């Protein structure tokens, strides 16, 4: 959802802020670098041209400070699952909203 939004697609990002969603994971600079290296391999596997790879990498890099726990910084508590607003009894609400449904579908296909 967020990558679609950030690349100019029609999606609207409805999730948590990057720091709220990631700081509790205590991601280190080394882990971030490994993530960026993996992203580079994925860009190449999809045969993205160099300019597109740089643009996507630049988008990801804007989130480094929001995702990486800096030396001396204390990780906040896990915020738990993001639940859709309201108390609806729909299956959508029971499943936890768009993110758990997306994870389910990704594993299904």
């Amino acid at each position: 959802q967020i990558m679609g939004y950030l690349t100019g697609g029609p999606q609207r990002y409805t999730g948590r802020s990057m720091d709220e969603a990631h700081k509790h994971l205590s991601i280190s600079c080394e882990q971030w670098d490994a993530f960026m290296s993996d992203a580079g391999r994925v860009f190449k596997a999809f045969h993205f041209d160099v300019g597109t790879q740089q643009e996507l990498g630049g988008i990801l890099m804007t989130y480094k400070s929001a995702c990486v726990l800096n030396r001396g910084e204390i990780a906040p508590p896990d915020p738990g699952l993001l639940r859709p607003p309201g108390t609806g009894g729909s299956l959508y609400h029971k499943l936890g909203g768009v993110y758990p449904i997306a994870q389910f579908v990704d594993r299904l296909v």
Side-chain angles (χ1 to χ4, degrees):
Q1 190 185 35
I2 194 167
M3 288 306 287
Y5 170 73
L6 293 172
T7 56
Q11 295 81 0
R12 288 206 121 352
Y13 181 63
T14 59
R16 290 190 164 110
S17 67
M18 289 295 108
D19 59 338
E20 184 181 355
H22 294 87
K23 285 283 187 169
H24 74 280
L25 299 170
S26 300
I27 298 168
S28 69
C29 285
E30 293 79 15
Q31 289 169 319
W32 178 267
D33 291 343
F35 162 72
M36 290 302 295
S37 180
D38 289 344
R41 282 192 287 280
V42 171
F43 299 160
K44 288 177 185 165
F46 277 84
H47 305 288
F48 293 152
D49 63 74
V50 173
T52 300
Q53 291 180 46
Q54 290 173 341
E55 194 170 356
L56 288 170
I59 289 170
L60 294 175
M61 283 302 294
T62 65
Y63 291 100
K64 181 177 181 177
S65 65
C67 295
V68 171
L69 194 68
N70 296 307
R71 194 177 314 269
E73 188 177 5
I74 297 172
D78 184 339
L81 294 175
L82 180 62
R83 297 289 179 187
T87 57
S90 69
L91 185 54
Y92 176 85
H93 278 82
K94 289 177 186 175
L95 291 171
V98 67
Y99 295 107
I101 292 170
Q103 287 180 329
F104 165 73
V105 173
D106 283 346
R107 291 180 186 163
L108 184 64
V109 295

